Every structure is written in C-alpha cells, then in structure tokens.
Coordinates of all heavy atoms in Angstrom, one line a residue:
M628 N 114.8 -173.5 -72.7 CA 114.1 -172.2 -72.6 C 114.7 -171.2 -73.5 O 115.9 -171.1 -73.6 CB 114.3 -171.7 -71.1 CG 113.4 -170.5 -70.7 SD 113.7 -169.9 -69.1 CE 113.1 -171.2 -68.1
T629 N 113.7 -170.5 -74.2 CA 114.3 -169.5 -75.2 C 114.7 -168.2 -74.5 O 114.3 -168.1 -73.3 CB 113.2 -169.2 -76.3 OG1 112.1 -168.6 -75.6 CG2 112.7 -170.4 -77.1
K630 N 115.4 -167.4 -75.2 CA 115.7 -166.1 -74.5 C 114.5 -165.3 -74.1 O 114.6 -164.7 -73.0 CB 116.6 -165.3 -75.5 CG 118.1 -165.5 -75.6 CD 118.8 -164.8 -74.5 CE 120.2 -165.3 -74.5 NZ 120.8 -165.4 -73.2
R631 N 113.5 -165.2 -74.9 CA 112.4 -164.5 -74.5 C 111.7 -165.0 -73.3 O 111.2 -164.3 -72.5 CB 111.4 -164.2 -75.7 CG 110.7 -165.5 -76.1 CD 109.8 -165.1 -77.3 NE 109.9 -166.1 -78.3 CZ 109.8 -166.0 -79.6 NH1 109.8 -164.8 -80.1 NH2 109.8 -167.0 -80.4
E632 N 111.6 -166.3 -73.2 CA 111.1 -167.0 -72.0 C 112.0 -166.7 -70.8 O 111.4 -166.4 -69.7 CB 111.0 -168.6 -72.1 CG 109.8 -168.9 -73.1 CD 110.0 -170.3 -73.6 OE1 111.1 -171.0 -73.4 OE2 109.0 -170.8 -74.0
E633 N 113.2 -166.7 -71.0 CA 114.2 -166.3 -69.9 C 114.0 -165.0 -69.4 O 114.0 -164.6 -68.2 CB 115.6 -166.5 -70.5 CG 116.7 -167.2 -69.5 CD 117.9 -167.4 -70.2 OE1 118.0 -168.4 -71.0 OE2 118.8 -166.6 -70.0
I634 N 113.9 -164.0 -70.3 CA 113.7 -162.6 -70.0 C 112.4 -162.4 -69.2 O 112.3 -161.8 -68.2 CB 113.7 -161.7 -71.3 CG1 115.1 -161.7 -71.8 CG2 113.3 -160.3 -70.9 CD1 115.2 -161.3 -73.2
K635 N 111.3 -163.0 -69.7 CA 110.1 -162.9 -69.0 C 110.1 -163.5 -67.6 O 109.5 -163.0 -66.7 CB 109.0 -163.7 -69.9 CG 107.6 -163.5 -69.4 CD 106.5 -164.1 -70.3 CE 105.2 -164.0 -69.6 NZ 104.1 -164.8 -70.3
K636 N 110.8 -164.7 -67.5 CA 110.9 -165.4 -66.2 C 111.6 -164.4 -65.2 O 111.3 -164.3 -64.1 CB 111.6 -166.7 -66.3 CG 111.5 -167.5 -65.1 CD 112.2 -168.8 -65.3 CE 112.3 -169.6 -64.0 NZ 113.2 -170.7 -64.1
F637 N 112.7 -163.8 -65.7 CA 113.5 -162.9 -64.9 C 112.6 -161.7 -64.4 O 112.6 -161.3 -63.2 CB 114.7 -162.3 -65.6 CG 115.4 -161.2 -64.8 CD1 116.3 -161.5 -63.8 CD2 115.1 -159.9 -65.1 CE1 116.8 -160.5 -63.1 CE2 115.6 -158.8 -64.4 CZ 116.5 -159.2 -63.3
I638 N 111.8 -161.1 -65.3 CA 111.0 -160.0 -64.9 C 110.0 -160.4 -63.9 O 109.8 -159.7 -62.8 CB 110.2 -159.4 -66.1 CG1 111.2 -158.7 -67.1 CG2 109.2 -158.3 -65.7 CD1 110.7 -158.3 -68.5
S639 N 109.3 -161.6 -64.1 CA 108.3 -162.1 -63.1 C 109.0 -162.4 -61.7 O 108.5 -162.0 -60.7 CB 107.8 -163.5 -63.6 OG 107.0 -163.3 -64.7
L640 N 110.2 -163.0 -61.7 CA 110.8 -163.3 -60.5 C 111.2 -162.0 -59.7 O 111.2 -161.9 -58.6 CB 112.2 -164.1 -60.7 CG 111.9 -165.6 -61.0 CD1 113.2 -166.3 -61.4 CD2 111.3 -166.4 -59.9
Y641 N 111.6 -161.0 -60.5 CA 112.1 -159.8 -59.9 C 110.8 -159.0 -59.3 O 110.9 -158.6 -58.2 CB 112.6 -158.8 -61.0 CG 112.8 -157.4 -60.6 CD1 114.0 -157.1 -59.8 CD2 112.0 -156.3 -60.9 CE1 114.2 -155.8 -59.3 CE2 112.3 -155.1 -60.4 CZ 113.4 -154.8 -59.5 OH 113.6 -153.6 -59.0
L642 N 109.7 -159.1 -60.0 CA 108.4 -158.5 -59.4 C 108.1 -159.2 -58.2 O 107.7 -158.6 -57.2 CB 107.3 -158.5 -60.5 CG 107.5 -157.6 -61.6 CD1 106.4 -157.9 -62.7 CD2 107.4 -156.2 -61.2
R643 N 108.2 -160.6 -58.2 CA 107.9 -161.4 -57.1 C 108.7 -161.1 -55.9 O 108.3 -161.1 -54.7 CB 108.1 -162.9 -57.5 CG 107.9 -164.0 -56.6 CD 106.3 -164.2 -56.2 NE 105.6 -163.2 -55.5 CZ 104.6 -162.5 -56.0 NH1 104.1 -163.0 -57.0 NH2 104.2 -161.6 -55.2
S644 N 110.0 -160.8 -56.1 CA 110.9 -160.4 -55.0 C 110.6 -159.0 -54.5 O 111.0 -158.7 -53.3 CB 112.3 -160.5 -55.4 OG 112.7 -159.5 -56.3
R645 N 110.0 -158.1 -55.2 CA 109.7 -156.8 -54.8 C 108.4 -156.5 -54.2 O 108.2 -155.6 -53.5 CB 109.8 -155.8 -56.1 CG 111.2 -155.9 -56.7 CD 112.2 -155.1 -56.0 NE 111.9 -153.7 -55.9 CZ 112.6 -152.8 -55.1 NH1 113.5 -153.2 -54.3 NH2 112.1 -151.5 -55.2
F646 N 107.4 -157.5 -54.4 CA 106.1 -157.2 -53.9 C 105.6 -158.5 -53.1 O 106.0 -159.7 -53.5 CB 105.1 -157.0 -55.0 CG 105.4 -155.8 -55.8 CD1 106.0 -155.8 -56.9 CD2 105.0 -154.5 -55.3 CE1 106.3 -154.7 -57.7 CE2 105.2 -153.3 -56.1 CZ 105.9 -153.4 -57.2
T647 N 104.8 -158.3 -52.1 CA 104.3 -159.4 -51.4 C 103.1 -160.1 -52.2 O 102.6 -159.4 -53.2 CB 103.7 -159.1 -50.0 OG1 102.6 -158.2 -50.2 CG2 104.8 -158.4 -49.2
V648 N 102.7 -161.3 -51.9 CA 101.7 -161.9 -52.7 C 100.4 -161.2 -52.6 O 99.5 -161.1 -53.5 CB 101.5 -163.4 -52.3 CG1 100.3 -164.1 -52.9 CG2 102.7 -164.2 -52.5
S649 N 100.1 -160.4 -51.5 CA 98.9 -159.7 -51.3 C 99.0 -158.5 -52.2 O 98.0 -157.9 -52.7 CB 98.6 -159.3 -49.9 OG 99.7 -158.7 -49.3
E650 N 100.1 -157.8 -52.3 CA 100.4 -156.6 -53.2 C 100.2 -157.0 -54.6 O 99.6 -156.3 -55.4 CB 101.7 -156.0 -52.9 CG 101.8 -155.3 -51.6 CD 103.3 -154.9 -51.3 OE1 104.2 -155.5 -51.7 OE2 103.4 -153.9 -50.5
M651 N 100.8 -158.1 -55.0 CA 100.8 -158.5 -56.4 C 100.7 -160.1 -56.4 O 101.7 -160.8 -56.2 CB 102.0 -158.1 -57.1 CG 101.9 -158.4 -58.7 SD 103.3 -157.9 -59.6 CE 103.2 -156.1 -59.6
P652 N 99.4 -160.7 -56.7 CA 99.2 -162.1 -56.8 C 100.1 -162.7 -57.9 O 100.6 -162.0 -58.8 CB 97.8 -162.2 -57.2 CG 97.1 -160.9 -56.9 CD 98.3 -159.8 -57.0
E653 N 100.5 -164.0 -57.7 CA 101.3 -164.7 -58.6 C 101.1 -164.5 -60.1 O 102.0 -164.1 -60.8 CB 101.2 -166.2 -58.2 CG 102.5 -167.0 -58.7 CD 103.8 -166.7 -58.1 OE1 103.8 -166.6 -56.8 OE2 104.8 -166.4 -58.8
D654 N 99.9 -164.7 -60.4 CA 99.5 -164.7 -61.9 C 99.6 -163.2 -62.4 O 99.8 -163.0 -63.7 CB 98.2 -165.3 -62.2 CG 97.0 -164.6 -61.4 OD1 97.3 -164.0 -60.4 OD2 95.9 -164.6 -61.8
E655 N 99.6 -162.2 -61.6 CA 99.7 -160.9 -62.0 C 101.1 -160.6 -62.4 O 101.3 -159.7 -63.2 CB 99.2 -159.9 -60.9 CG 98.3 -158.8 -61.3 CD 97.7 -158.0 -60.2 OE1 96.6 -158.4 -59.7 OE2 98.3 -157.0 -59.8
C656 N 102.0 -161.2 -61.7 CA 103.5 -161.0 -62.1 C 103.7 -161.4 -63.5 O 104.4 -160.7 -64.3 CB 104.4 -161.9 -61.3 SG 104.5 -161.3 -59.5
D657 N 103.1 -162.5 -64.0 CA 103.3 -162.9 -65.3 C 102.6 -161.9 -66.4 O 103.1 -161.6 -67.4 CB 102.6 -164.3 -65.5 CG 103.5 -165.3 -65.0 OD1 104.6 -165.1 -64.7 OD2 102.9 -166.5 -64.8
T658 N 101.4 -161.4 -65.9 CA 100.7 -160.4 -66.7 C 101.5 -159.1 -66.9 O 101.5 -158.6 -68.0 CB 99.3 -160.1 -66.1 OG1 98.6 -161.3 -65.8 CG2 98.5 -159.2 -67.0
E659 N 102.1 -158.7 -65.7 CA 103.0 -157.5 -65.8 C 104.2 -157.7 -66.6 O 104.6 -156.8 -67.5 CB 103.3 -157.1 -64.3 CG 102.2 -156.6 -63.5 CD 101.4 -155.4 -64.0 OE1 102.1 -154.5 -64.6 OE2 100.2 -155.4 -64.0
A660 N 104.8 -158.9 -66.5 CA 105.9 -159.2 -67.3 C 105.6 -159.1 -68.8 O 106.3 -158.6 -69.6 CB 106.5 -160.7 -67.0
E661 N 104.5 -159.7 -69.1 CA 104.0 -159.8 -70.6 C 103.8 -158.3 -71.0 O 104.2 -158.0 -72.1 CB 102.7 -160.6 -70.6 CG 102.3 -161.0 -72.0 CD 103.2 -161.9 -72.7 OE1 103.7 -162.8 -72.1 OE2 103.5 -161.6 -73.9
F662 N 103.2 -157.5 -70.2 CA 103.0 -156.1 -70.5 C 104.3 -155.4 -70.9 O 104.4 -154.6 -71.9 CB 102.3 -155.4 -69.4 CG 101.9 -154.0 -69.7 CD1 100.9 -153.7 -70.5 CD2 102.7 -153.0 -69.2 CE1 100.6 -152.2 -70.7 CE2 102.5 -151.6 -69.5 CZ 101.4 -151.3 -70.2
I663 N 105.3 -155.6 -70.1 CA 106.6 -155.1 -70.2 C 107.2 -155.5 -71.5 O 107.7 -154.6 -72.3 CB 107.6 -155.3 -69.0 CG1 107.0 -154.5 -67.8 CG2 108.9 -154.9 -69.3 CD1 107.6 -155.0 -66.5
L664 N 107.1 -156.8 -71.8 CA 107.7 -157.4 -73.1 C 107.0 -156.8 -74.3 O 107.5 -156.4 -75.3 CB 107.5 -158.8 -73.1 CG 108.5 -159.6 -72.1 CD1 108.3 -161.1 -72.4 CD2 109.9 -159.3 -72.4
Q665 N 105.6 -156.6 -74.2 CA 104.8 -156.0 -75.3 C 105.2 -154.6 -75.6 O 105.4 -154.2 -76.7 CB 103.3 -156.0 -74.9 CG 102.6 -157.3 -74.9 CD 102.3 -157.9 -76.3 OE1 102.6 -157.3 -77.3 NE2 101.9 -159.2 -76.3
Y666 N 105.5 -153.8 -74.5 CA 106.0 -152.4 -74.6 C 107.4 -152.4 -75.3 O 107.5 -151.7 -76.3 CB 106.1 -151.8 -73.3 CG 106.8 -150.4 -73.3 CD1 106.1 -149.4 -74.1 CD2 108.1 -150.2 -73.0 CE1 106.8 -148.1 -74.3 CE2 108.7 -149.0 -73.2 CZ 108.0 -148.0 -73.9 OH 108.7 -146.8 -74.0
L667 N 108.3 -153.2 -74.8 CA 109.6 -153.2 -75.5 C 109.6 -153.6 -76.9 O 110.2 -153.0 -77.8 CB 110.6 -154.2 -74.6 CG 110.9 -153.8 -73.2 CD1 111.7 -154.9 -72.5 CD2 111.7 -152.5 -73.2
H668 N 108.7 -154.6 -77.2 CA 108.5 -155.0 -78.5 C 108.0 -154.0 -79.5 O 108.5 -153.7 -80.6 CB 107.6 -156.2 -78.6 CG 107.2 -156.7 -79.9 ND1 108.0 -157.3 -80.8 CD2 106.0 -156.5 -80.7 CE1 107.4 -157.6 -81.9 NE2 106.2 -157.1 -81.9
S669 N 107.1 -153.2 -78.9 CA 106.4 -152.1 -79.7 C 107.5 -151.0 -79.9 O 107.4 -150.2 -80.9 CB 105.3 -151.5 -78.9 OG 105.8 -150.7 -77.9
Q670 N 108.6 -151.0 -79.2 CA 109.7 -150.0 -79.3 C 110.8 -150.5 -80.2 O 111.8 -149.9 -80.4 CB 110.2 -149.6 -77.9 CG 109.2 -148.9 -77.0 CD 108.7 -147.6 -77.7 OE1 109.4 -146.7 -78.1 NE2 107.4 -147.6 -77.8
G671 N 110.6 -151.7 -80.8 CA 111.5 -152.4 -81.7 C 112.6 -153.1 -81.0 O 113.6 -153.5 -81.7
V672 N 112.5 -153.5 -79.7 CA 113.5 -154.2 -79.1 C 113.5 -155.7 -79.6 O 112.4 -156.3 -79.6 CB 113.3 -154.2 -77.5 CG1 114.3 -155.2 -76.8 CG2 113.5 -152.7 -77.0
V673 N 114.6 -156.2 -80.0 CA 114.6 -157.6 -80.4 C 115.8 -158.3 -79.7 O 116.7 -157.6 -79.1 CB 115.0 -157.8 -81.9 CG1 113.8 -157.2 -82.8 CG2 116.2 -157.0 -82.4
I674 N 115.8 -159.7 -79.8 CA 116.9 -160.4 -79.2 C 117.9 -160.8 -80.3 O 117.5 -161.3 -81.4 CB 116.3 -161.7 -78.6 CG1 115.4 -161.4 -77.5 CG2 117.4 -162.7 -78.1 CD1 114.4 -162.6 -77.1
K675 N 119.1 -160.5 -80.1 CA 120.1 -160.8 -81.0 C 120.6 -162.3 -80.8 O 121.0 -162.6 -79.7 CB 121.3 -159.9 -80.9 CG 122.2 -159.7 -82.1 CD 123.0 -158.5 -81.9 CE 124.4 -158.7 -82.4 NZ 125.3 -157.6 -82.1
I676 N 120.6 -163.2 -81.8 CA 121.1 -164.5 -81.6 C 122.5 -164.5 -82.0 O 123.0 -163.9 -83.0 CB 120.4 -165.5 -82.6 CG1 118.9 -165.2 -82.6 CG2 120.7 -166.9 -82.3 CD1 118.2 -165.8 -81.4
G677 N 123.3 -165.2 -81.1 CA 124.8 -165.2 -81.3 C 125.4 -165.4 -82.7 O 124.8 -166.2 -83.5
G678 N 126.5 -164.7 -82.9 CA 127.2 -164.9 -84.1 C 126.5 -164.3 -85.4 O 125.6 -163.6 -85.2
E679 N 127.3 -164.4 -86.5 CA 126.7 -163.8 -87.7 C 126.4 -165.0 -88.7 O 127.0 -166.1 -88.6 CB 127.8 -162.9 -88.4 CG 128.0 -161.7 -87.6 CD 128.7 -160.6 -88.5 OE1 129.3 -161.0 -89.5 OE2 128.7 -159.4 -88.1
W680 N 125.4 -164.7 -89.6 CA 124.8 -165.8 -90.5 C 124.9 -165.3 -91.9 O 124.6 -164.1 -92.2 CB 123.4 -166.1 -90.0 CG 123.4 -166.5 -88.6 CD1 123.4 -165.6 -87.5 CD2 123.4 -167.8 -88.0 NE1 123.5 -166.3 -86.3 CE2 123.4 -167.7 -86.6 CE3 123.4 -169.1 -88.6 CZ2 123.4 -168.8 -85.7 CZ3 123.4 -170.1 -87.8 CH2 123.4 -170.0 -86.3
C681 N 125.2 -166.2 -92.9 CA 125.2 -165.9 -94.2 C 123.8 -165.4 -94.7 O 122.8 -166.1 -94.4 CB 125.7 -167.0 -95.1 SG 125.6 -166.7 -96.9
T682 N 123.7 -164.2 -95.2 CA 122.4 -163.6 -95.6 C 121.9 -164.5 -96.8 O 120.6 -164.5 -96.9 CB 122.5 -162.2 -95.9 OG1 123.5 -162.0 -97.0 CG2 122.9 -161.3 -94.8
Q683 N 122.7 -165.1 -97.6 CA 122.3 -165.8 -98.7 C 121.8 -167.2 -98.5 O 120.8 -167.8 -98.9 CB 123.3 -165.8 -99.8 CG 122.8 -165.9 -101.2 CD 123.9 -165.9 -102.2 OE1 125.1 -165.4 -102.0 NE2 123.7 -166.6 -103.3
H684 N 122.6 -167.9 -97.6 CA 122.3 -169.2 -97.3 C 121.8 -169.6 -95.9 O 121.4 -170.7 -95.7 CB 123.7 -170.1 -97.5 CG 124.1 -169.9 -99.0 ND1 125.2 -169.2 -99.3 CD2 123.5 -170.4 -100.2 CE1 125.4 -169.2 -100.6 NE2 124.4 -169.9 -101.2
G685 N 122.0 -168.7 -95.0 CA 121.6 -168.8 -93.6 C 122.5 -169.7 -92.8 O 122.2 -170.2 -91.7
Y686 N 123.7 -170.0 -93.3 CA 124.7 -170.8 -92.5 C 125.5 -169.8 -91.7 O 125.7 -168.7 -92.0 CB 125.7 -171.6 -93.4 CG 124.9 -172.7 -94.2 CD1 124.8 -172.7 -95.5 CD2 124.3 -173.7 -93.6 CE1 124.2 -173.6 -96.3 CE2 123.7 -174.7 -94.3 CZ 123.6 -174.6 -95.6 OH 123.0 -175.6 -96.4
P687 N 126.1 -170.3 -90.5 CA 127.0 -169.5 -89.7 C 128.2 -169.0 -90.5 O 128.6 -169.7 -91.5 CB 127.4 -170.4 -88.6 CG 126.7 -171.7 -88.7 CD 125.9 -171.7 -90.1
I688 N 128.7 -167.9 -90.2 CA 129.9 -167.3 -90.9 C 131.1 -167.9 -90.2 O 131.2 -168.0 -89.0 CB 129.9 -165.8 -90.7 CG1 128.7 -165.1 -91.4 CG2 131.2 -165.1 -91.0 CD1 128.8 -165.3 -93.0
P689 N 132.2 -168.3 -91.0 CA 132.2 -168.3 -92.5 C 131.2 -169.3 -93.1 O 131.3 -170.6 -92.7 CB 133.7 -168.7 -92.8 CG 134.2 -169.4 -91.6 CD 133.4 -168.9 -90.4
C690 N 130.6 -168.9 -94.1 CA 129.6 -169.9 -94.8 C 130.3 -171.0 -95.5 O 131.2 -170.7 -96.3 CB 128.7 -169.0 -95.7 SG 127.4 -170.0 -96.6
H691 N 129.8 -172.2 -95.2 CA 130.6 -173.4 -95.9 C 130.1 -173.5 -97.3 O 130.7 -174.3 -98.1 CB 130.4 -174.6 -95.0 CG 128.9 -175.2 -95.1 ND1 128.6 -176.0 -96.2 CD2 128.0 -175.2 -94.3 CE1 127.4 -176.4 -96.0 NE2 127.0 -175.9 -94.8
K692 N 129.1 -172.8 -97.7 CA 128.7 -172.9 -99.1 C 129.2 -172.0 -100.0 O 129.7 -172.2 -101.1 CB 127.1 -172.7 -99.1 CG 126.5 -173.3 -100.4 CD 125.1 -173.7 -100.3 CE 124.5 -174.3 -101.6 NZ 123.1 -174.7 -101.6
C693 N 129.4 -170.7 -99.6 CA 129.9 -169.5 -100.5 C 131.1 -168.9 -99.9 O 131.8 -168.1 -100.6 CB 128.8 -168.6 -100.7 SG 128.4 -167.5 -99.3
G694 N 131.5 -169.3 -98.7 CA 132.8 -168.8 -98.1 C 132.6 -167.4 -97.6 O 133.6 -166.8 -97.2
A695 N 131.4 -166.8 -97.6 CA 131.3 -165.4 -97.1 C 131.8 -165.3 -95.7 O 131.6 -166.2 -94.7 CB 129.7 -165.1 -97.1
R696 N 132.6 -164.2 -95.5 CA 133.2 -164.0 -94.1 C 132.4 -162.9 -93.3 O 132.7 -162.8 -92.1 CB 134.6 -163.6 -94.3 CG 135.4 -164.6 -95.1 CD 136.8 -164.2 -95.3 NE 137.5 -164.1 -94.0 CZ 138.5 -164.9 -93.8 NH1 139.0 -165.8 -94.6 NH2 139.1 -164.7 -92.5
Y697 N 131.5 -162.3 -93.9 CA 130.7 -161.3 -93.2 C 129.2 -161.7 -93.4 O 128.8 -162.0 -94.6 CB 131.0 -159.9 -93.7 CG 132.4 -159.6 -93.5 CD1 133.3 -159.7 -94.6 CD2 133.0 -159.2 -92.3 CE1 134.6 -159.4 -94.4 CE2 134.3 -158.9 -92.1 CZ 135.1 -159.0 -93.2 OH 136.4 -158.7 -93.0
G698 N 128.4 -161.5 -92.4 CA 127.0 -161.8 -92.6 C 126.3 -160.9 -91.8 O 126.6 -159.7 -91.6
Q699 N 125.1 -161.2 -91.2 CA 124.2 -160.5 -90.4 C 123.9 -161.2 -89.2 O 123.8 -162.4 -89.1 CB 122.9 -160.2 -91.2 CG 122.9 -158.7 -91.7 CD 121.6 -158.5 -92.5 OE1 120.6 -159.3 -92.5 NE2 121.5 -157.3 -93.1
A700 N 123.8 -160.4 -88.1 CA 123.3 -161.0 -86.8 C 121.8 -161.5 -87.0 O 121.1 -160.8 -87.6 CB 123.4 -160.0 -85.7
R701 N 121.4 -162.6 -86.5 CA 120.0 -163.1 -86.6 C 119.3 -162.5 -85.4 O 119.8 -162.5 -84.3 CB 120.1 -164.6 -86.5 CG 118.7 -165.2 -86.9 CD 118.8 -166.8 -86.8 NE 119.4 -167.3 -88.0 CZ 119.8 -168.5 -88.2 NH1 119.5 -169.4 -87.1 NH2 120.3 -169.0 -89.2
I702 N 118.1 -162.0 -85.6 CA 117.4 -161.5 -84.5 C 116.1 -162.3 -84.4 O 115.5 -162.8 -85.3 CB 117.1 -159.9 -84.7 CG1 116.4 -159.7 -86.1 CG2 118.4 -159.2 -84.6 CD1 115.9 -158.2 -86.1
E703 N 115.5 -162.2 -83.2 CA 114.3 -162.8 -82.9 C 113.4 -161.7 -82.1 O 113.9 -161.0 -81.3 CB 114.6 -164.0 -81.9 CG 113.5 -164.8 -81.4 CD 114.0 -165.8 -80.3 OE1 114.9 -166.7 -80.7 OE2 113.5 -165.7 -79.3
P704 N 112.1 -161.7 -82.4 CA 111.3 -160.7 -81.7 C 111.1 -161.1 -80.3 O 111.2 -162.3 -79.9 CB 110.0 -160.7 -82.6 CG 110.0 -162.0 -83.2 CD 111.4 -162.4 -83.5
L705 N 110.8 -160.1 -79.5 CA 110.7 -160.3 -78.0 C 109.3 -161.0 -77.8 O 109.1 -161.7 -76.8 CB 110.6 -159.0 -77.3 CG 111.8 -158.5 -76.6 CD1 111.5 -157.3 -75.8 CD2 112.4 -159.6 -75.8
I706 N 108.3 -160.9 -78.7 CA 107.0 -161.5 -78.6 C 106.8 -162.7 -79.5 O 107.0 -162.5 -80.7 CB 105.9 -160.4 -78.8 CG1 106.1 -159.2 -77.8 CG2 104.5 -161.0 -78.6 CD1 105.9 -159.5 -76.4
K707 N 106.5 -163.7 -79.1 CA 106.3 -164.9 -79.8 C 105.2 -164.7 -80.8 O 104.2 -164.2 -80.6 CB 106.0 -166.1 -78.9 CG 106.3 -167.4 -79.6 CD 106.2 -168.5 -78.6 CE 106.7 -169.8 -79.2 NZ 107.2 -170.9 -78.4
G708 N 105.5 -165.2 -82.1 CA 104.4 -165.1 -83.1 C 104.5 -163.9 -83.9 O 103.6 -163.6 -84.6
E709 N 105.4 -163.0 -83.6 CA 105.6 -161.7 -84.3 C 106.6 -161.7 -85.3 O 107.1 -160.7 -85.8 CB 105.8 -160.6 -83.4 CG 104.6 -160.4 -82.3 CD 103.4 -159.7 -82.9 OE1 103.7 -158.7 -83.7 OE2 102.3 -159.9 -82.6
E710 N 107.1 -162.9 -85.6 CA 108.3 -163.0 -86.6 C 107.9 -162.5 -87.9 O 106.9 -162.6 -88.4 CB 108.7 -164.5 -86.8 CG 109.6 -165.0 -85.7 CD 108.9 -165.6 -84.5 OE1 107.7 -165.3 -84.2 OE2 109.5 -166.5 -83.8
Ligands
ZN918 ZN1 126.6 -168.4 -98.1

C-alpha cells in the first residue's frame, strides 16, 4: 500500500468511526476521503519519501556514482496521476 492509499484509508476509517452507516453510507466515506485529498493536493501538500536522493543520478545519498553527500527529499503528490 502506498502512502497516499494509507492516508486515504485512514480518513475513510475515521469517517466510518464517526458516523453511522445511515448518516454516511460506506461508499460516501471514500468519496469524502477523496475530496479531502483533492483539497490538500490543491494546497500543495505532498508526501515526502524517506531520505535524500542525488539530484543528478537519483540514487540515495551518499550517491554511489558521484559521492554527493547532500541531495533532495523525493516527493510524491497526494493524488495519483498528478506527478
Ligand atoms: Zn550522484
């Protein structure tokens, strides 16, 4: 499970625990979770992937190709397909 799927699942489970099925049907929890993720995405929220990566070669730091000791954190958008 990717981080974004994990986050979406958490929001859905949270909504499920807060509302009864008659107040919020099962599939509506997913729709609401998606809506929240869309909003966060529109505000520039991204998922940071652990560690730093060589900006030139894409290897983890320290880069085994150029020896770079500083790189950049890799990020992933909250919404799939928005890379
Ligand atoms: Zn490198």
Side-chain angles (χ1 to χ4, degrees):
M628 190 183 290
T629 64
K630 273 278 179 218
R631 67 181 144 219
E632 288 168 343
E633 219 174 281
I634 292 165
K635 187 177 171 185
K636 189 178 173 191
F637 170 82
I638 295 171
S639 291
L640 287 174
Y641 175 74
L642 291 171
R643 177 77 290 127
S644 72
R645 299 286 294 172
F646 299 98
T647 64
V648 176
S649 57
E650 286 171 334
M651 187 183 290
E653 198 68 48
D654 57 338
E655 225 170 273
C656 287
D657 286 345
T658 306
E659 294 300 321
E661 191 65 44
F662 180 81
I663 292 167
L664 289 183
Q665 289 283 353
Y666 170 72
L667 292 174
H668 173 72
S669 76
Q670 296 303 304
V672 175
V673 293
I674 297 163
K675 202 167 142 188
I676 312 286
E679 290 194 346
W680 306 78
C681 176
T682 51
Q683 209 183 333
H684 303 106
Y686 295 118
I688 293 298
C690 178
H691 74 79
K692 197 158 185 183
C693 69
R696 301 176 67 112
Y697 302 97
Q699 258 181 4
R701 191 179 283 170
I702 58 170
E703 182 187 296
L705 264 188
I706 302 299
K707 202 171 186 155
E709 298 279 325
E710 277 89 335

